[in-house]
Amino acid sequence: MESKSKDKQMILRVQNLKKYFPIRRGFFQKIAGWVKAVDDVSFEIEQGKTLGLVGESGCGKTTVARLILKLLEPDNGKIIFRGIDIGELTEKEMKPLRKKIQIVFQDPFGSLNPRMTTGLSIEEGLRILGIKRGKKRKERLEKLLKMVGMSPESADRYPHEFSGGQRQRICIARALSVDPSLVVCDEPISALDVSIQAQIINLLKDLQDRLGLSYLFISHDLNVVSYLCSTISVMYKGQIMESAPAEELFENPRHPYTLSLISAIPDPAPGLRRKIEILEPDLSDSLITSKGCRFQGRCPMEEPRCLEEEISFEKVGEKHFVRCWKAAKK
Amino acid sequence: MTNDNTLISVQDLKVYFRSGHECARAVDGISFEIRQEETVCLVGESGCGKTVSALSILGLIQTPPGEIAGGQIMFQGKNLLELDEEDMQKIRGNRIAMVFQEPLTSLNPVFTIEDQIGEAISIHKNIGSGELRDCCIKLLKDVGIPSPVQRLKDYPHQLSGGQRQRVMIAMALACDPDLIIADEPTTALDVTVQAQILQLLKSIQETRSMSILYITHDLGVVANIAHRVYVMYSGIVTEQGNAAQIFHHARHPYTQGLLASLPSRSKRGKRLFSIPGTVPNPAYKPAGCPFHPRCPHAIPICGKEYPKMCDYGQAHLARCPVLFKNSHNPDKPEPKSI
Amino acid sequence: MNKKEKGFNKNFQLETPLAPKRTRLQEFWRLFRQNRLAILGLFIFILFFCCAIVGLFMTSGPDPLLDPAMIRLQEKLRPPLAKPNLDSLRREEIPYLGFYLMGTDDLGRDVFARMLQGAWVSLTVGFVAVGISVLIGIFMGGIAGYFGQHHIRVDHVLVTLVLISGAALVTANFIRSGAALLCLTPAYIFYFIWSQNRSGKKTLPLWAKVFRKNAVSIDTLIMRIVDIMLCFPSFFLILTVVALLPASIYNIMIVIGLTSWMGATRFVRAEFLSLREQDFVAAVKTLGAGNFRIIFRHMMPNAMAPVLVSATIGIATAILTEAGLSFLGFGVPPPHATWGNILSDGKNFIFDAPWLTFIPGIAILIVVLSFNLFGEGLRDVLNPKLRERH
Ligand SMILES: Nc1ncnc2c1ncn2[C@@H]1O[C@H](COP(=O)(O)OP(=O)(O)OP(=O)(O)O)[C@@H](O)[C@H]1O
Ligand SMILES: Nc1ncnc2c1ncn2[C@@H]1O[C@H](COP(=O)(O)OP(=O)(O)OP(=O)(O)O)[C@@H](O)[C@H]1O
Ligand code: SF4
Ligand code: SF4
Ligand SMILES: [Mg+2]
Ligand SMILES: [Mg+2]
């Protein structure tokens, strides 16, 4: 009952998602261990809203994105898109749903086919929508290009003739060509020049207002996420450590990792230098931890219990979850 | 202009790159100076010539395709551009050291950390192997690497990104230089590690009383570390001043635009300001003010005349005569060229 | 163009591409032009191409202008540029040019006409053989690179073996046992479908479990076949096969093609492995494009550069192989002329009539060299890593 009504509101629900990559060693490629790239990740994205996923490099953000897009098969867990568990669908059953979730990649240079004009790249989506070649397709193409702020004559050009920001606009146009309802943005601005980043952020925001898109916005920059997202999930070594509405997360951060992240944001307002909580350097073999809290070894409040048991993801407030027993108890 | 306190002063430096029929004016007449015990930041977008400026201080520009087309770099009474390779080597690493952006590729993967730091020391100093080892351990301790004695025998790939960057800094510190040039040392690192490295650089500078030229494109980092800031755009310095002047009273449209376009929590719900257009290709720069195709204040003359530096007092200068005239203020001097 | 206008317009404006418009082809040509030897190679290649086509029209048909098979016993072993002895020849025996441009051979046949006919043979052998090898290479390499991580199960291997041996028995006239083997296959497929329908209910018997084990990945299988093929000295492999088959120009082409696809396979596989990880392929996948379209429309054009290079050099090798086979007498059967058998015929007269060996020899040398130079030039231009050196 409750979950049905929730499904309507939530465009995407991810539950206990897991993906381990084998580490192969030796001559016979024996499996020597597992990289727990995504380990028990759950979150929800509301229709028309933006969820921010932040975390340091290598913590598994891109892997989450690839799992949602079914570019990787999850080992465990559910991915429920509009009430349908797409984790279990076969390639064929997935086909009509596939275009509803689109992605914009970080690297604007690798994400466009260098041998195709941008027009053809975007038309690929229109073709899949079933729009026949001809005047109608051309009109749609021009409309898409204008929507992302590119002139229609860019359709005949090859990707190497564009700057990074312009390519990113073209990638957005390609993603929009199939009329998606959820767009996964995997660090879409971190490869761009500072003065171009704001253009792309504005574009994403405008498109959300106009088309009612939902975003999963992946980033390592808390400034950007805090500006753009309604809910923020903080990821660390394959697990979500804290998840809360943006305001709540900044006003009332609970998890020690979130605290140190927020204090480490480089803030362009000198004179207001806050005390930065300097974390211990990370010495462990990043994702192959054994037992207990993933933050052990760097946590300033660590206790023996943290090394012993698996820490659960506990609710500490309205839509506020934290994976730390000490923070949850407070 | 120069006073006794100045450690290094770069005047009207021009570095061009020629390839085929194109000539990229990567650095097109920049001037800056670094005083003793001061952190100076060079900020600007990708391709505006930050790295090229730093490399030309160390005489590391490949010629060809590079070409130093003019200017001088005065360091301790000598013009570095006129020194021969042998004298330059005595300065490089010894008096001026550099930390690069990518910590994995700038360490040699087949040598241990001890080898590499030891090499940095023994090039310039003649000391025995036992002493060398002690030196290495002390340096590693200084840059905050835990259990340095065990770490000496490690190879670069056994360290995390932040630790590699610490090793790079240790190598730079090896000969107790007067100036460290840090070229985006934290761009490849996570925010929490970046905070550690910035803290480290700050404390090193205070304890060793050296100068740092810090190159970055991240205004947040600048605010954190800089005493004085030079904002670069397309091969020229557009604005200079101390951190407070730049961040609270920016006078150049580009700096203003950049600051306004930074996303932050306080701007939630509002539309971000954004500078339209793209950074010019260094081979096809617009005439006049290089910023004019993107500038909201541009007037026709901006496309024709190269703008002069305008003095706002207290060593705050901006290269925009238009705004200077607009902010017309009788007790300020007329724009004067530098 | 209207940069200034654009700058002053504070309203919403559309972005236009930055870089000066220069197509890939122009860029390619600009780089290629710098390599003199490659240009020379290209030039000779075009010349050779024209000669071969013109030669085809002049030497074939019921009444050819230059008849390579015309025997004039009274005009044996005339040196190049020699005038024919008009008195002793019939009207139709007089060479079209009025003299023997490249002399005549021991049967008085016009070497020039024979060389032209041979040029066409070399050209077609080169292109067809390489065409076959590239097609196989792209197919195998594409499968290995794109579907490589999929596994072949033990039963797939067994069923294939059973099918092959059944077919072999039937063709070898053991009809009954062959048919029995062939019937096993549909039986197994029925069993498989039936057992799948009630899957999960019962645990499978041990033999079925063994059958369903993954044997090898497709990638491993294909690449090991490549390795095995590369172990054979290919020229002797071709010799053996050609000795068993009836001698004809088509068999030669096919056999050369079938024994030289390994290089292309390796190149395509390597390209596909790296392309598969690229973001633009993932993006097309999320748009919902099928595997077929991803492979052929999106990945193949990006994987063609090294294949093109190896194909160019492969043509040279194929021409050389054909000449070698013909020289040894395994090639195109006489009286059809090829450069190899002109050379072979001429070797008995090397002191009396050196042109009979030198002319085809030098022709082979020049053509093979030009293809190699052209291929190396292509590689330099298409490989961005080597590009910086120039
Ligand atoms: N195909 C794979 N095989 C094995 N390991 C993988 C694979 N893909 C990712 N990983 C590992 O999973 C971990 C998470 O990687 P992921 O790319 O998701 O990180 P990320 O958070 O996106 O980092 P970044 O911010 O650098 O993009 C990494 O340690 C990586 O080495
Ligand atoms: N070796 C070179 N050959 C040709 N051009 C070069 C070379 N090195 C630099 N340039 C040119 O000089 C310009 C400035 O480069 P530089 O590396 O100084 O930029 P940067 O400000 O350090 O950028 P980033 O933030 O990306 O490091 C570039 O646009 C580039 O075109
Ligand atoms: S569970 Fe323990 S180690 Fe983990 S974050 Fe909380 S206090 Fe720190
Ligand atoms: S000089 Fe003109 S174009 Fe340049 S920054 Fe000032 S107003 Fe803008
Ligand atoms: Mg990533
Ligand atoms: Mg740089």
Side-chain angles (χ1 to χ4, degrees):
Chain A
M1 263 295 286
E2 191 216 36
S3 106
K4 273 275 153 56
S5 68
K6 225 175 169 182
D7 280 347
K8 280 219 183 83
Q9 203 184 354
M10 297 295 168
I11 186 155
L12 183 81
R13 284 204 294 145
V14 170
Q15 290 172 349
N16 309 99
L17 201 60
K18 272 189 193 148
K19 180 76 193 175
Y20 295 178
F21 292 110
I23 307 167
R24 295 176 190 275
R25 290 228 174 88
F27 184 70
F28 290 107
Q29 298 285 297
K30 271 233 151 71
I31 294 174
W34 296 93
V35 177
K36 299 185 178 177
V38 173
D39 194 9
D40 193 17
V41 162
S42 311
F43 56 79
E44 300 172 330
I45 303 176
E46 259 179 79
Q47 176 72 49
K49 293 280 170 59
T50 307
L51 172 76
L53 193 60
V54 275
E56 58 184 35
S57 176
C59 71
K61 307 182 293 294
T62 301
T63 310
V64 170
R66 296 182 82 91
L67 286 169
I68 292 173
L69 288 153
K70 292 267 285 181
L71 293 171
L72 283 174
E73 288 299 317
D75 292 338
N76 200 352
K78 285 185 177 159
I79 305 166
I80 300 166
F81 177 72
R82 292 207 174 132
I84 306 168
D85 184 356
I86 60 174
E88 285 180 352
L89 298 187
T90 61
E91 193 89 3
K92 222 185 231 161
E93 295 166 317
M94 185 65 198
K95 204 144 195 197
L97 276 177
R98 180 139 242 171
K99 49 183 182 277
K100 286 291 161 197
I101 310 178
Q102 288 300 309
I103 184 162
V104 177
F105 290 100
Q106 168 175 13
D107 174 18
F109 291 84
S111 47
L112 285 171
N113 189 338
R115 305 262 157 159
M116 264 188 172
T117 61
T118 57
L120 281 178
S121 281
I122 299 171
E123 274 184 42
E124 194 65 24
L126 299 177
R127 195 189 63 84
I128 285 156
L129 268 194
I131 300 172
K132 292 269 171 332
R133 192 173 298 140
K135 205 169 147 234
K136 210 162 159 213
R137 200 192 267 192
K138 207 155 178 103
E139 273 168 17
R140 275 293 283 275
L141 174 65
E142 279 185 11
K143 208 175 126 207
L144 278 167
L145 280 172
K146 279 197 186 132
M147 206 186 309
V148 296
M150 296 294 298
S151 65
E153 65 255 36
S154 357
D156 305 326
R157 303 298 190 85
Y158 284 90
H160 70 271
E161 296 175 48
F162 295 94
S163 68
Q166 291 173 332
R167 285 174 196 221
Q168 209 58 297
R169 286 171 191 266
I170 293 164
C171 290
I172 294 172
R174 177 181 56 194
L176 294 181
S177 68
V178 285
D179 217 355
S181 36
L182 173 67
V183 179
V184 177
C185 307
D186 188 2
E187 312 206 21
I189 58 165
S190 43
L192 302 181
D193 278 333
V194 190
S195 72
I196 310 296
Q197 291 185 352
Q199 297 176 2
I200 299 295
I201 294 177
N202 278 340
L203 174 64
L204 287 172
K205 243 179 124 66
D206 290 347
L207 291 172
Q208 183 165 47
D209 293 343
R210 273 170 67 183
L211 307 173
L213 298 173
S214 316
Y215 291 131
L216 170 61
F217 192 90
I218 296 175
S219 177
H220 57 251
D221 185 347
L222 264 179
N223 272 327
V224 177
V225 170
S226 69
Y227 169 76
L228 207 57
C229 304
S230 44
T231 315
I232 298 176
S233 289
V234 179
M235 204 167 164
Y236 185 76
K237 290 191 183 176
Q239 287 184 333
I240 292 195
M241 289 297 168
E242 185 161 8
S243 181
E247 290 297 333
E248 167 80 3
L249 190 88
F250 281 91
E251 304 285 315
N252 188 14
R254 292 292 196 92
H255 198 283
Y257 180 62
T258 318
L259 275 168
S260 66
L261 260 189
I262 291 177
S263 81
I265 301 178
D267 188 1
L272 285 171
R273 293 195 189 171
R274 295 143 299 137
K275 187 184 171 311
I276 296 180
E277 308 230 353
I278 301 288
L279 286 176
E280 290 289 310
D282 182 15
L283 298 177
S284 63
D285 211 351
S286 58
L287 286 166
I288 320 167
T289 45
S290 47
K291 231 169 69 174
C293 178
R294 293 286 177 102
F295 196 47
Q296 62 180 263
R298 297 180 82 186
C299 180
M301 343 192 288
E302 190 175 307
E303 274 181 33
R305 183 180 158 188
C306 306
L307 313 183
E308 295 295 316
E309 56 188 73
E310 282 302 318
I311 316 291
S312 58
F313 203 39
E314 275 175 56
K315 188 164 179 164
V316 292
E318 175 77 17
K319 292 184 181 169
H320 191 166
F321 296 86
V322 64
R323 194 187 287 277
C324 168
W325 61 272
K326 276 188 92 170
K329 223 164 53 179
K330 264 192 287 187
Chain B
M1 191 59 211
T2 43
N3 52 26
D4 301 340
N5 216 352
T6 307
L7 178 67
I8 185 166
S9 95
V10 174
Q11 279 148 29
D12 202 26
L13 179 70
K14 291 191 170 117
V15 186
Y16 298 165
F17 288 94
R18 283 179 207 287
S19 74
H21 45 86
E22 287 177 356
C23 171
R25 288 178 289 159
V27 170
D28 205 7
I30 70 163
S31 309
F32 61 87
E33 52 171 19
I34 303 166
R35 306 195 191 115
Q36 269 150 22
E37 299 175 39
E38 180 184 52
T39 303
V40 168
C41 269
L42 223 48
V43 257
E45 295 179 84
S46 177
C48 73
K50 307 180 298 287
T51 302
V52 171
S53 319
L55 291 179
S56 43
I57 290 179
L58 287 170
L60 290 175
I61 297 285
Q62 293 257 335
T63 48
E67 171 196 334
I68 309 259
Q72 54 176 354
I73 300 174
M74 298 304 291
F75 178 72
Q76 294 175 336
K78 281 174 280 189
N79 184 356
L80 295 187
L81 295 178
E82 282 165 4
L83 292 187
D84 54 17
E85 184 55 28
E86 203 176 313
D87 290 331
M88 215 43 227
Q89 249 164 27
K90 281 186 197 137
I91 289 179
R92 224 181 274 150
N94 193 13
R95 308 271 38 97
I96 306 177
M98 184 137 176
V99 180
F100 290 94
Q101 170 172 358
E102 186 43 70
L104 187 54
T105 50
S106 35
L107 286 171
N108 190 334
V110 299
F111 291 117
T112 62
I113 288 165
E114 182 177 11
D115 292 340
Q116 303 197 36
I117 300 179
E119 164 121 30
I121 302 172
S122 55
I123 289 175
H124 297 288
K125 280 187 196 154
N126 205 357
I127 52 176
S129 63
E131 207 180 333
L132 198 62
R133 199 185 147 81
D134 293 341
C135 257
C136 292
I137 294 172
K138 186 172 169 298
L139 280 170
L140 286 183
K141 217 181 268 167
D142 285 355
V143 294
I145 287 194
S147 53
V149 184
Q150 286 93 322
R151 289 271 152 191
L152 275 181
K153 288 278 169 263
D154 278 356
Y155 288 90
H157 71 265
Q158 290 167 301
L159 305 179
S160 72
Q163 285 173 324
R164 277 184 221 127
Q165 204 54 282
R166 282 169 197 266
V167 171
M168 285 299 297
I169 294 172
M171 284 169 66
L173 289 177
C175 288
D176 222 349
D178 301 315
L179 173 66
I180 288 188
I181 301 176
D183 186 3
E184 314 209 17
T186 59
T187 305
L189 305 174
D190 295 318
V191 262
T192 53
V193 186
Q194 167 173 303
Q196 294 164 10
I197 298 286
L198 291 182
Q199 193 87 347
L200 171 68
L201 282 173
K202 264 195 239 172
S203 71
I204 285 173
Q205 190 204 18
E206 275 155 26
T207 53
R208 300 208 173 200
S209 63
M210 50 177 63
S211 307
I212 295 179
L213 175 62
Y214 194 98
I215 295 175
T216 181
H217 60 247
D218 187 340
L219 285 167
V221 172
V222 176
N224 198 313
I225 191 170
H227 296 126
R228 283 190 317 119
V229 184
Y230 290 84
V231 183
M232 284 183 72
Y233 184 79
S234 186
I236 61 169
V237 171
T238 54
E239 183 160 6
Q240 68 189 69
N242 63 33
Q245 285 164 343
I246 296 285
F247 284 97
H248 298 308
H249 309 285
R251 296 297 191 181
H252 194 277
Y254 174 62
T255 322
Q256 292 171 346
L258 270 191
L259 287 167
S261 69
L262 287 179
S264 77
R265 192 156 62 100
S266 50
K267 291 181 194 155
R268 270 181 81 93
K270 288 178 223 144
R271 199 183 155 76
L272 278 185
F273 176 83
S274 75
I275 307 176
T278 40
V279 186
N281 180 337
Y284 302 95
K285 281 187 195 174
C289 174
F291 190 56
H292 86 261
R294 307 174 70 188
C295 180
H297 304 285
I299 55 172
I301 199 163
C302 298
K304 300 192 191 91
E305 235 170 63
Y306 185 69
K308 293 178 179 129
M309 264 297 189
C310 306
D311 192 346
Y312 284 90
Q314 292 172 314
H316 184 189
L317 299 115
R319 202 179 281 282
C320 177
V322 178
L323 280 202
F324 188 70
K325 281 219 189 76
N326 286 357
S327 72
H328 182 68
N329 201 336
D331 53 35
K332 270 188 188 154
E334 277 293 298
K336 67 172 192 235
S337 116
I338 291 174
Chain C
M1 334 143 252
N2 54 350
K3 215 167 219 166
K4 227 171 253 169
E5 262 174 53
K6 218 185 115 195
F8 293 113
N9 178 7
K10 273 177 229 161
N11 303 329
F12 181 70
Q13 37 187 265
L14 297 175
E15 301 256 340
T16 42
L18 274 182
K21 188 168 183 173
R22 201 196 278 151
T23 61
R24 283 187 101 81
L25 209 65
Q26 283 168 323
E27 179 72 20
F28 170 84
W29 180 240
R30 196 178 66 80
L31 286 165
F32 192 79
R33 224 172 33 193
Q34 292 166 359
N35 191 339
R36 295 254 166 74
L37 283 175
I39 290 288
L40 184 70
L42 179 65
F43 179 71
I44 296 175
F45 165 59
I46 292 171
L47 201 69
F48 168 64
F49 198 84
C50 297
C51 282
I53 288 182
V54 171
L56 175 72
F57 287 111
M58 290 173 75
T59 58
S60 61
D63 185 20
L65 284 177
L66 293 163
D67 189 351
M70 170 85 66
I71 297 173
R72 317 171 181 82
L73 286 175
Q74 62 277 50
E75 297 270 71
K76 277 199 290 197
L77 300 181
R78 304 293 303 265
L81 300 179
K83 286 259 192 289
N85 184 357
L86 291 175
D87 303 338
S88 62
L89 291 177
R90 276 181 279 131
R91 248 184 77 83
E92 66 269 21
E93 286 177 344
I94 298 172
Y96 180 71
L97 294 176
F99 58 96
Y100 302 114
L101 183 62
M102 295 180 177
T104 60
D105 65 4
D106 56 323
L107 295 176
R109 292 177 295 193
D110 186 358
V111 175
F112 180 58
R114 293 178 66 72
M115 286 297 294
L116 280 183
Q117 195 179 30
W120 177 249
V121 173
S122 294
L123 186 78
T124 43
V125 167
F127 275 83
V128 175
V130 166
I132 293 173
S133 82
V134 164
L135 281 185
I136 300 176
I138 286 178
F139 183 73
M140 300 285 259
I143 289 184
Y146 192 80
F147 295 110
Q149 75 283 47
H150 288 264
H151 282 265
I152 296 176
R153 292 199 314 247
V154 174
D155 54 355
H156 293 162
V157 179
L158 287 178
V159 167
T160 320
L161 279 181
V162 165
L163 269 179
I164 291 174
S165 49
L169 285 174
V170 169
T171 44
N173 271 336
F174 296 102
I175 307 255
R176 238 179 251 162
S177 47
L181 275 185
L182 285 181
C183 286
L184 264 180
T185 319
Y188 180 75
I189 291 172
F190 277 124
Y191 169 76
F192 183 74
I193 293 170
W194 171 72
S195 67
Q196 207 153 52
N197 281 346
R198 31 144 247 177
S199 65
K201 298 277 155 49
K202 245 205 232 155
T203 51
L204 291 165
L206 184 66
W207 63 270
K209 261 192 210 154
V210 171
F211 267 35
R212 257 158 239 198
K213 269 235 147 56
N214 289 334
V216 279
S217 71
I218 294 177
D219 187 37
T220 324
L221 184 73
I222 291 179
M223 290 331 279
R224 289 304 84 77
I225 295 176
V226 166
D227 290 343
I228 293 168
M229 290 291 288
L230 283 174
C231 285
F232 294 113
S234 61
F235 194 76
F236 292 99
L237 188 67
I238 295 170
L239 266 185
T240 326
V241 177
V242 167
L244 296 174
L245 290 174
S248 104
I249 185 166
Y250 302 104
N251 281 341
I252 303 266
M253 292 175 192
I254 292 171
V255 169
I256 294 179
L258 287 182
T259 51
S260 59
W261 50 270
M262 292 81 74
T265 304
R266 287 195 159 171
F267 283 128
V268 173
R269 171 181 174 264
E271 287 290 308
F272 264 48
L273 282 181
S274 73
L275 281 173
R276 206 179 59 193
E277 300 301 321
Q278 294 216 339
D279 287 344
F280 74 85
V281 175
V284 180
K285 221 183 259 180
T286 56
L287 285 177
N291 284 335
F292 189 76
R293 195 170 170 83
I294 294 176
I295 293 182
F296 288 102
R297 187 81 181 82
H298 295 271
M299 290 169 79
M300 203 58 88
N302 288 289
M304 283 320 288
V307 177
L308 208 65
V309 173
S310 82
T312 322
I313 295 172
I315 291 175
T317 321
I319 291 175
L320 213 52
T321 311
E322 183 275 329
L325 285 174
S326 296
F327 182 82
L328 294 175
F330 290 98
V332 181
H336 204 104
T338 75
W339 293 357
N341 62 25
I342 298 173
L343 195 66
S344 159
D345 292 346
K347 70 177 187 295
N348 301 328
F349 308 97
I350 189 156
F351 295 112
D352 305 332
W355 61 91
L356 285 184
T357 40
F358 277 94
I359 288 171
I362 289 172
I364 292 171
L365 175 81
I366 289 178
V367 168
V368 168
L369 193 65
S370 77
F371 271 100
N372 278 330
L373 288 176
F374 178 54
E376 302 260 312
L378 267 186
R379 165 157 49 216
D380 286 356
V381 174
L382 294 176
N383 187 340
K385 273 188 206 120
L386 290 173
R387 192 179 290 176
E388 270 134 41
R389 277 202 325 228
H390 295 287

